[in-house]
Amino acid sequence: MDLSFNTEERAFQDEVRGFIAKNLTEEMKRATALTPSVFSDPDIGMAWQRALHRQGWGAPGWPVEHGGPDWTPAQRWIFETESARAGVPNVNVMGVKMVGPVIIGFGSPEQKNFYLPRILSGEDYWCQGYSEPGSGSDLSSLKTRAVRDGDDYVINGTKIWTTHAHHANRMFALVRTSDGPRQQDGISFILIDMKTPGITTRPILTIGGDHEVNQVFFDDVRVPVANRVGEEGKGWTYGKYLLEFERGSGIASAKLREGLKAIAELAESDLTGRAIDSPDIATRISEVEVDIDALEMTELRVLSALQTGQNPGAVSSILKLRNSEIRQAVTRLGVDVIGHDALAVEPMRPLYKLNHEPALPEDMLTVVPEYLNGRAYTIFGGTSEIQRDIIAKMMLGI
């Protein structure tokens, strides 16, 4: 694999750096640095999405006919790496990287014409209605039901751990439209306007004290049948397709490397009493760096496959598994580096909006919140146990 850039690619690298320098405000950069979650607050993330859209870069992984930039794998890699180095905000991941590809792959022409431009422009902000109480890893057992009534479905039930549902104006959801011998065969994929009467969103505060996830209740919510993506009862297929893109379409190694770099700089500073001098800390930093190198190589291979339209398949589970485990290793290392100062953490979010002097220096402010938030990495998007099952079945035939 040739990892050197040619003249055109270096010119593109300069273009990306120039775009970031022009459009990334200090407020965006600081907010991103002080956000412990993988999700930026909408006022920050969607401002960046609009800037990308103006440039024609709003959806790097989409086909060019739907607004994608038609980048080569090398250009995609350059863009993601430079974005991570600069500390740009995350856009609405659930719109661009999750429901967008499903609508492109299975949606009607009307759905594509309506929703895709709104995702690109940042007009719509999406949340994901998958998990339910008692239906997380065993998602096929979901009970939220949609009953056909003329040109509408009437939906009753509840979804849980719904990230940013309190911000979103739209949800994509898996709902049960029929019963049969195989639970997976009675599930449909529905697009829901969050302003529809009968929807109630209640906050769930996580271990870090932040309001990121919610429980959403549906009480006789009427949704047009036209909002169903693809065929009735085929939602399980579309949902799995979405999860493969969620798990396998990003470039996580660049951000992980920047996160490790920040921890290493803290370890070398007087703020931590030069924690790097501890053989344990120094060794763990090196071990995580090697893990990131290995992840990076896998991502490059997957990126090339995605560029040719191939579904990432089981390798998406490998990427999700390793990304989650390495993220947790980085955040755990950060807590050990700052030591007893971790006790001074302020469990609140967003940290960039604090209106008082924090108890810790700003360089250390997010270390513990990121660690606490990161406990969910090996759960959301499919637990690590589920990822290993998928790998065993699809790659080893077990």
Side-chain angles (χ1 to χ4, degrees):
M1 185 181 296
D2 183 4
L3 297 181
S4 59
F5 296 142
N6 60 32
T7 302
E8 292 78 12
E9 289 162 351
R10 291 197 178 279
F12 178 72
Q13 185 177 45
D14 290 339
E15 183 182 2
V16 172
R17 289 174 176 174
F19 168 81
I20 292 174
K22 180 180 178 181
N23 291 278
L24 182 64
T25 66
E26 286 302 316
E27 180 189 16
M28 289 179 184
K29 188 172 182 178
R30 183 172 182 272
T32 303
L34 292 177
T35 297
S37 169
V38 295
F39 295 94
S40 299
D41 282 358
D43 56 337
I44 298 297
M46 299 313 280
W48 185 245
Q49 175 65 30
R50 288 189 287 271
L52 291 171
H53 179 54
R54 290 192 296 269
Q55 184 74 7
W57 295 352
W62 289 13
V64 64
E65 62 267 26
H66 293 297
D70 197 25
W71 285 341
T72 65
Q75 287 176 308
R76 175 77 181 275
W77 179 257
I78 289 168
F79 172 77
E80 297 283 1
T81 302
E82 293 299 327
S83 295
R85 287 173 180 165
V88 308
N90 282 326
V91 298
N92 181 213
V93 175
M94 286 171 281
V96 172
K97 294 187 177 181
M98 295 169 69
V99 73
V102 172
I103 294 173
I104 290 171
F106 305 102
S108 67
E110 293 78 12
Q111 289 169 345
K112 293 174 184 177
N113 291 335
F114 181 76
Y115 291 110
L116 297 182
R118 296 167 68 94
I119 293 173
L120 286 171
S121 67
E123 185 174 354
D124 281 343
Y125 192 82
W126 290 81
C127 63
Q128 178 186 32
Y130 272 28
S131 294
E132 300 180 3
S135 298
S137 295
D138 182 19
L139 186 58
S140 65
S141 66
L142 65 86
K143 294 180 174 59
T144 295
R145 185 169 293 274
V147 177
R148 183 76 178 260
D149 181 23
D151 292 333
D152 292 337
Y153 286 112
V154 180
I155 301 177
N156 285 279
T158 183
K159 297 293 180 178
I160 202 167
W161 314 123
T162 314
T163 302
H164 282 201
H166 55 305
H167 296 304
N169 68 316
R170 299 195 186 277
M171 172 192 283
F172 57 91
L174 292 179
V175 297
R176 183 162 302 284
T177 47
S178 65
D179 295 301
R182 289 184 75 251
Q183 291 181 319
Q184 294 91 333
D185 293 339
I187 294 172
S188 297
F189 194 104
I190 302 287
L191 309 178
I192 301 172
D193 185 335
M194 291 293 284
K195 295 181 180 178
T196 307
I199 296 177
T200 303
T201 301
R202 294 180 184 171
I204 299 174
L205 298 185
T206 65
I207 190 174
D210 55 68
H211 177 198
E212 184 175 66
V213 295
N214 306 270
Q215 185 167 4
V216 180
F217 298 87
F218 301 90
D219 184 13
D220 289 334
V221 175
R222 301 189 74 90
V223 176
V225 173
N227 285 25
R228 186 191 70 225
V229 174
E231 299 178 49
E232 184 172 280
K234 298 293 186 182
W236 186 251
T237 298
Y238 311 144
K240 289 195 300 180
Y241 180 86
L242 180 149
L243 286 173
E244 287 182 14
F245 275 92
E246 176 190 1
R247 297 163 182 164
S249 63
I251 307 296
S253 59
K255 288 190 176 182
L256 290 171
R257 197 177 299 282
E258 291 302 308
L260 180 63
K261 179 182 175 183
I263 296 301
E265 289 174 352
L266 269 177
E268 294 170 357
S269 74
D270 292 336
L271 285 173
T272 62
R274 286 193 54 80
I276 193 68
D277 293 336
S278 162
D280 175 64
I281 295 294
T283 299
R284 287 166 60 192
I285 289 175
S286 297
E287 289 173 344
V288 173
E289 188 170 14
V290 171
D291 284 341
I292 294 173
D293 287 342
L295 177 65
E296 184 179 68
M297 292 300 102
T298 304
E299 287 176 337
L300 284 166
R301 291 193 296 270
V302 172
L303 190 58
S304 296
L306 286 171
Q307 204 70 26
T308 62
Q310 298 179 46
N311 207 3
V315 74
S316 66
S317 289
I318 296 176
L319 291 177
K320 199 279 179 183
L321 180 66
R322 293 304 295 137
N323 176 23
S324 298
E325 292 174 340
I326 296 171
R327 280 185 181 275
Q328 289 188 343
V330 171
T331 60
R332 186 164 53 247
L333 182 59
V335 172
D336 290 342
V337 162
I338 69 172
H340 68 274
D341 282 331
L343 299 174
V345 65
E346 294 191 54
M348 59 178 63
R349 182 176 178 268
L351 295 171
Y352 69 94
K353 290 184 177 179
L354 290 180
N355 56 9
H356 62 275
E357 190 68 26
L360 291 175
E362 194 160 285
D363 288 348
M364 301 167 67
L365 199 57
T366 61
V367 171
V368 172
E370 286 177 352
Y371 169 80
L372 295 174
N373 186 276
R375 298 306 89 201
Y377 291 153
T378 49
I379 299 174
F380 64 63
T383 66
S384 293
E385 292 79 5
I386 292 295
Q387 305 312 319
R388 290 188 174 92
D389 282 348
I390 293 171
I391 294 166
K393 290 176 182 177
M394 296 185 68
M395 302 188 74
L396 303 177
I398 297 175

